[in-house]
RNA sequence: GGCCCCGUGGUGUAGCGGCCUAACAUGCCAGCCUGUCACGCUGGAGAUCGGGGGUUCGAAUCCCCUCGGGGUCGCCA
């Protein structure tokens, strides 16, 4: 960054530059005014350099430097000198030298910042977002943003080198009722009609395959009007990509190679598991109760349902009678959990809809087991549970009995919770896995219909096609997920490329021919013009960068994120608009009805 | 929509019915200081405790409502 106002960066001067006359520009990070000498740590994007104002060297400059305060923007010219013996600062890359200033220009002053920029500290997140431009000035956030840049650049280079073309797709699209709630944009030219912001460029990238681009990618902004989470924002960024003439293997191995190379290049301190293991959906749900398991630790599920066929324990009995399951995990070394701690765990599983939690504290012998429901359990049942979980003395067995869905949700939540409490995860480790063979359909029992588990463009496995007519619930999709440390990083699939199959799927999902034509006519028609077989994937960039930055939320890697209630404290969005604007759009805002009166 | 946590000088925290005329750290202001690097020393200013209502002789502290932030369940094809 050599330019007119600065000859060097604050992070780059070393002993080699001693004797040079240089000009630096940046922010006052800290000042140490000794009355005589004044030391300033000057900060720019690249680092810190200590600059010295010596009254004997330049009296007037020294006087002017007395006015400097935190975050003033200054330009200084002076001589790089080796620091006097014993005053080097080994904590700074530039700590062997300092700049003796001959000339000082105050480029701008600064109000006292509302929070510290020159030291790491927890600050109220609302305040940070309100002054995001100052928050982003902190080295920590600069690191995150720069790493994000490097990740995206790596992806672009990697894919470009392999024949991918970056193509932009529209932000103003057609709204479709499936999936997440759309963000809508009213049309001025067609009052009463709306565009929708893309939830993902799914259909467009498929059309680009029909168009013959063969390998496409895009750093794509996606929008979903749903409630926020630590890893969910109203708008987020995906590496959207699609390839023609490929099967699962092409895509999975390409992604595996890209992520491994990227991590080894950009953040080599991470330990990663390679090759990435692949699990079927069925296997992973059986072992971990979730399709996005954290495989950095064990604590796998064991099924106890068969042990309690003849049980007199009312809770288990009624669960089994209604088709439920009884499963458990083993929390190592947690047998000493107090009643209060166990009650916390019970409250925890209740948030997942479980009615309760059975705990068994394992003592030194098989007879030495403590449980509140001990009298309902036979010695054989206990022995089996211990064996199946390979529980050791001092362990705590946690059992949930409920519908299969609740058992899996509650127990996998509990598994993650216990791993956190027991510190079972290594922050320097990234453990990836692929999940394959998802079911194509989800049953919506209440509405007596099938729904796409992923989206309706996912191809079924060839050998399962006959099941479409007989047993749709058994059809496996050519769909795959990419999971890291329990975080779903991306989803992808081999798509349907034949119009008949696509229509068949839509019909199975309950669409009438008219609805298909109205909503997806363009896609079906495109498939009639020589659509190649194709498939793709779309890794979430925010979540991936979050993992690389070891952050807990994606807000830390998004420059200007929204709050949990989807507002921006800095600009004050969303906001009302002038009536004229609404009038142009022929929009009327209905007054919110007061709840009480 | 439900549940949980949080809201005290600029910032981060302590205080959790009277000892609070609200404490500590840091920041800020002023003075002193020529080798500091979280510089040091001395002095000073600065919050009525998110907002409203209530209980009480007395409320930062207890209760209710409300606003804001965060986490999470539902939701997110």
């Amino acid at each position: 960054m050599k330019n007119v106002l600065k000859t060097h960066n604050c992070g780059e001067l070393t002993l080699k530059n001693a004797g040079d006359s240089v000009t630096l520009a940046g922010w006052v990070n800290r000042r140490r005014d000794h009355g005589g000498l004044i030391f300033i740590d000057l900060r720019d994007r690249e680092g810190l350099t200590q600059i010295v104002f010596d009254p004997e060297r330049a009296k007037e400059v020294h006087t002017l430097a007395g006015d400097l305060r935190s975050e003033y923007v200054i330009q200084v010219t002076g001589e790089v000198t080796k620091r006097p013996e014993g005053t080097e600062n080994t904590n700074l890359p530039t700590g062997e030298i300092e700049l003796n200033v001959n000339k000082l220009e105050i480029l701008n002053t600064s109000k006292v910042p509302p929070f510290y920029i020159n030291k790491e500290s927890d600050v109220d997140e609302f305040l940070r977002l309100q002054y995001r431009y100052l928050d982003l000035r902190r080295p920590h956030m600069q690191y995150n943003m720069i790493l994000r840049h490097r990740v995206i650049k790596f992806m672009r280079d990697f894919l470009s080198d392999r024949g991918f073309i970056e193509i932009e797709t529209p932000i103003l699209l057609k709204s479709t009722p499936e999936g997440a709630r759309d963000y809508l944009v009213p049309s001025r030219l067609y009052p009463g009609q709306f565009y929708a912001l893309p939830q993902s460029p799914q259909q467009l990238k498929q059309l680009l395959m029909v168009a013959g681009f063969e390998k496409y990618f895009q750093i794509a902004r996606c929008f979903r009007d749903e409630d926020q989470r630590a890893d969910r924002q109203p708008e987020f960024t995906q590496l959207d990509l699609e390839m023609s003439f490929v099967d699962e293997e092409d895509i999975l191995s390409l992604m595996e190679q890209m992520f491994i190379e990227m991590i080894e290049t950009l953040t080599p301190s991470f330990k990663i598991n390679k090759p990435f293991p692949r699990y079927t959906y069925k296997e992973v749900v059986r072992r971990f109760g979730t399709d996005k398991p954290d495989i950095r630790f064990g604590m796998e599920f064991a099924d106890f349902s068969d042990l309690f066929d003849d049980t007199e324990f009312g809770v288990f009995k009624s669960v089994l009678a209604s088709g439920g399951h009884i499963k458990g995990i083993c929390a190592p070394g947690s047998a000493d959990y107090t009643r209060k701690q166990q009650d916390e765990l019970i409250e925890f599983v209740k948030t997942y809809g479980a009615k309760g939690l059975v705990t068994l504290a394992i003592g030194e012998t098989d007879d030495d087991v403590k449980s509140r429901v001990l009298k309902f359990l036979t010695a054989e049942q206990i022995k089996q549970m211990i064996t199946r979980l390979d529980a050791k003395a001092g362990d705590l067995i946690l059992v949930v009995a409920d519908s299969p869905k609740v058992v899996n949700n509650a127990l996998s939540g509990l598994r993650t919770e216990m791993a956190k409490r027991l510190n079972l995860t290594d922050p320097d480790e990234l453990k990836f896995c692929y999940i394959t063979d998802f079911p194509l359909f989800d049953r919506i029992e209440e509405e007596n219909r099938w729904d796409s588990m992923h989206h309706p463009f996912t191809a079924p496995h060839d050998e399962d096609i006959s099941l479409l007519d007989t047993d749709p619930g058994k059809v496996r999709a050519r769909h795959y997920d990419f999971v890291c440390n329990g975080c779903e990083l991306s989803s992808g699939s081999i798509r349907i490329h034949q119009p008949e199959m696509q229509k068949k799927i839509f019909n199975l999902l309950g669409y009438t021919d008219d609805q298909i034509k109205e909503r997806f006519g363009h896609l079906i028609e495109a498939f009639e013009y020589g659509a190649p077989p194709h498939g793709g994937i779309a890794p979430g960039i925010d979540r991936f960068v979050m993992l690389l930055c070891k952050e807990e939320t994606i807000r830390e890697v998004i420059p200007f994120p929204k709050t949990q209630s989807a507002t921006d404290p800095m600009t004050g969005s969303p906001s009302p608009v002038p009536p004229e604007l609404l009038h142009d759009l022929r929009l009327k805002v209905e007054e919110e009805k007061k709840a009480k009166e």
Side-chain angles (χ1 to χ4, degrees):
Chain A
M1 275 205 308
K2 181 168 178 167
N3 39 36
V4 177
L5 290 188
K6 57 198 276 194
T7 60
H8 293 75
N9 300 317
C10 291
E12 69 175 323
L13 295 173
T14 63
L15 270 183
K16 291 200 306 286
N17 305 93
D20 295 355
S21 175
V22 305
T23 300
L24 298 178
W27 289 264
V28 173
N29 193 60
R30 214 175 267 283
R31 82 189 157 103
R32 292 177 292 279
D33 184 345
H34 287 233
L37 290 174
I38 298 173
F39 298 97
I40 301 276
D41 294 333
L42 190 65
R43 183 190 73 239
D44 67 14
R45 204 183 81 190
E46 308 297 328
L48 294 174
T49 298
Q50 170 164 287
I51 63 179
V52 187
F53 295 92
D54 185 343
E56 287 170 14
R57 186 182 188 93
K59 187 84 175 66
E60 283 175 20
V61 174
H62 175 267
T63 307
L64 183 58
D67 294 338
L68 295 179
R69 294 292 181 273
S70 288
E71 301 309 312
Y72 275 32
V73 185
I74 62 172
Q75 180 195 35
V76 287
T77 302
E79 186 191 343
V80 180
T81 54
K82 182 181 187 323
R83 291 198 190 183
E85 200 74 34
T87 64
E88 301 88 354
N89 184 346
T90 50
N91 297 322
L92 281 183
T94 60
E96 286 190 290
I97 56 93
E98 59 196 6
L99 186 72
N100 281 280
V101 179
N102 300 320
K103 185 166 167 259
L104 164 67
E105 183 92 28
I106 298 178
L107 301 174
N108 213 342
T109 60
S110 171
K111 299 211 289 194
V112 177
F115 49 81
Y116 300 108
I117 291 164
N118 55 13
K119 76 176 193 193
E120 282 294 319
S121 59
D122 282 332
V123 182
D124 179 72
E125 205 173 323
F126 188 84
L127 194 68
R128 290 178 56 199
L129 291 183
Q130 202 175 355
Y131 294 94
R132 189 59 158 180
Y133 44 88
L134 296 181
D135 189 39
L136 289 169
R137 199 130 100 188
R138 301 153 82 202
H140 172 79
M141 293 302 283
Q142 298 245 321
Y143 171 84
N144 288 2
M145 294 306 136
I146 290 167
L147 184 55
R148 183 184 176 110
H149 157 74
R150 295 175 71 205
V151 163
I152 291 173
K153 177 169 190 311
F154 191 97
M155 289 172 167
R156 282 202 159 103
D157 292 345
F158 183 93
L159 294 170
S160 300
D161 289 349
R162 284 159 183 77
F164 282 78
I165 313 288
E166 183 170 5
I167 302 175
E168 293 171 272
T169 53
I171 292 294
L172 296 177
L173 286 177
K174 180 187 170 77
S175 176
T176 52
E178 24 312 290
R181 202 173 291 116
D182 280 326
Y183 275 102
L184 295 178
V185 179
S187 155
R188 176 182 56 84
L189 296 177
Y190 302 93
Q193 301 192 36
F194 298 83
Y195 301 98
L197 306 182
Q199 297 180 26
S200 85
Q202 181 61 34
Q203 293 186 45
L204 295 159
K205 70 174 171 178
Q206 291 192 242
L207 294 171
L208 288 171
M209 293 302 101
V210 179
F213 284 102
E214 298 198 28
K215 291 176 177 179
Y216 140 92
F217 80 97
Q218 179 180 196
I219 307 298
R221 191 66 60 86
C222 305
F223 305 84
R224 294 178 190 174
D225 188 3
E226 297 292 345
D227 286 355
Q228 312 309 308
R229 287 290 184 283
D231 62 354
R232 274 165 32 191
Q233 279 276 301
E235 51 184 298
F236 59 99
T237 307
Q238 290 188 333
L239 168 63
D240 192 51
L241 74 89
E242 196 78 4
M243 302 161 78
S244 296
F245 310 113
V246 291
D247 70 5
E248 288 88 337
E249 189 53 42
D250 294 297
I251 291 162
L252 298 194
S253 58
L254 178 80
M255 283 297 96
E256 180 165 338
Q257 196 194 342
M258 186 183 81
F259 277 98
I260 289 173
E261 271 187 36
M262 181 158 52
I263 293 162
E264 289 180 343
T265 307
L266 301 183
T267 51
S269 61
F270 278 108
K271 287 171 277 193
I272 50 179
N273 62 328
K274 50 182 186 178
F276 298 164
R278 298 180 190 184
Y279 305 111
T280 64
Y281 175 84
K282 221 171 154 179
E283 179 184 3
V284 90
V285 169
R286 175 175 58 78
R287 291 171 58 187
F288 305 102
T290 173
D291 58 6
K292 44 178 179 175
D294 190 334
I295 57 168
R296 284 177 296 177
F297 54 93
M299 273 208 274
E300 295 191 20
F301 288 20
D303 194 336
F304 303 141
S305 306
D306 61 296
L307 298 176
F308 295 94
D309 285 341
D310 303 318
T311 189
E312 288 308 311
F313 183 23
V315 174
F316 284 7
K317 195 172 180 173
S318 63
V319 162
L320 290 175
S322 57
H325 289 161
I326 302 166
K327 292 185 180 178
I329 56 172
C330 175
S334 304
D336 58 352
Y337 256 47
T338 60
R339 180 166 189 116
K340 191 179 164 211
Q341 286 173 305
Q342 294 192 17
D343 285 341
E344 277 170 21
L345 298 184
I346 292 170
E347 287 310 308
F348 181 82
V349 296
K350 279 184 180 169
T351 64
Y352 292 89
K355 284 174 276 302
L357 176 72
V358 168
T359 60
L360 285 86
I362 311 302
E364 289 303 323
T365 64
D366 279 8
D367 304 335
D368 183 16
V369 172
K370 289 193 180 65
S371 175
R372 294 183 208 179
V373 299
L374 200 60
K375 61 181 171 182
F376 298 111
L377 306 175
T378 68
E380 179 59 22
Q381 284 165 344
I382 292 171
K383 194 181 156 205
Q384 276 294 322
M385 289 197 275
I386 290 172
T387 307
R388 291 184 190 185
L389 284 170
D390 193 24
K392 305 279 188 292
D395 290 353
L396 185 69
I397 292 178
L398 302 162
V399 182
V400 175
D402 217 301
S403 70
K405 195 179 161 190
V406 169
V407 169
N408 283 338
N409 281 347
L411 215 49
S412 83
L414 193 58
R415 177 177 173 268
T416 311
E417 171 69 15
M418 291 312 293
K420 204 196 301 175
R421 288 171 179 238
L422 295 166
N423 233 339
L424 296 183
T425 54
D426 177 352
D428 292 311
E429 185 173 38
L430 295 173
K431 264 200 165 170
F432 294 88
C433 61
Y434 281 119
I435 317 295
T436 63
D437 296 323
F438 281 74
L440 189 60
F441 300 111
D442 232 356
R443 184 74 186 161
I444 312 283
E445 233 23 275
E446 307 83 71
E447 299 169 35
N448 189 31
R449 65 178 182 91
W450 295 103
D451 196 11
S452 288
M453 190 143 181
H454 182 50
H455 59 53
F457 316 114
T458 307
H461 270 287
D462 286 344
E463 59 267 38
D464 290 355
I465 285 175
S466 60
L467 290 170
L468 284 172
D469 298 316
T470 56
D471 195 353
K474 286 226 167 70
V475 177
R476 289 167 303 153
R478 298 182 70 181
H479 172 78
Y480 31 83
D481 266 9
F482 179 46
V483 173
C484 179
N485 292 4
C487 180
E488 184 189 316
L489 278 189
S490 64
S491 272
S493 60
I494 301 298
R495 329 291 184 188
I496 297 165
H497 67 284
Q498 288 149 326
E500 301 75 28
M501 177 59 75
Q502 188 64 73
K503 270 189 234 165
K504 189 181 179 81
I505 298 294
F506 282 137
N507 285 143
L508 255 163
L509 293 170
Y511 291 107
T512 65
D513 288 349
D514 282 349
Q515 285 172 324
I516 297 172
K517 197 172 170 203
E518 201 273 318
R519 292 177 195 169
F520 304 105
H522 54 282
L523 190 71
I524 305 260
E525 192 180 10
F527 287 172
E528 289 166 352
Y529 287 97
H534 61 282
I537 196 164
I541 290 178
D542 312 288
R543 288 183 185 177
F544 178 63
V545 176
M546 171 184 88
L547 290 178
L548 288 193
C549 291
K550 299 182 182 175
E551 295 289 359
E552 299 287 327
T553 92
I554 60 173
R555 295 188 300 276
E556 299 297 322
V557 300
I558 295 175
F560 298 100
K562 306 263 188 301
T563 62
Q564 188 166 64
S565 46
T567 65
D568 174 9
M570 187 177 69
T571 63
S573 75
S575 64
V577 295
E580 309 86 78
L581 227 52
L582 290 178
H583 180 77
D584 279 351
L585 298 166
R586 301 288 191 274
L587 287 180
K588 268 205 182 107
V589 177
E590 213 176 298
E591 286 300 320
E592 187 84 34
K593 288 211 176 69
K594 291 278 184 290
K596 279 180 259 178
E597 197 57 56

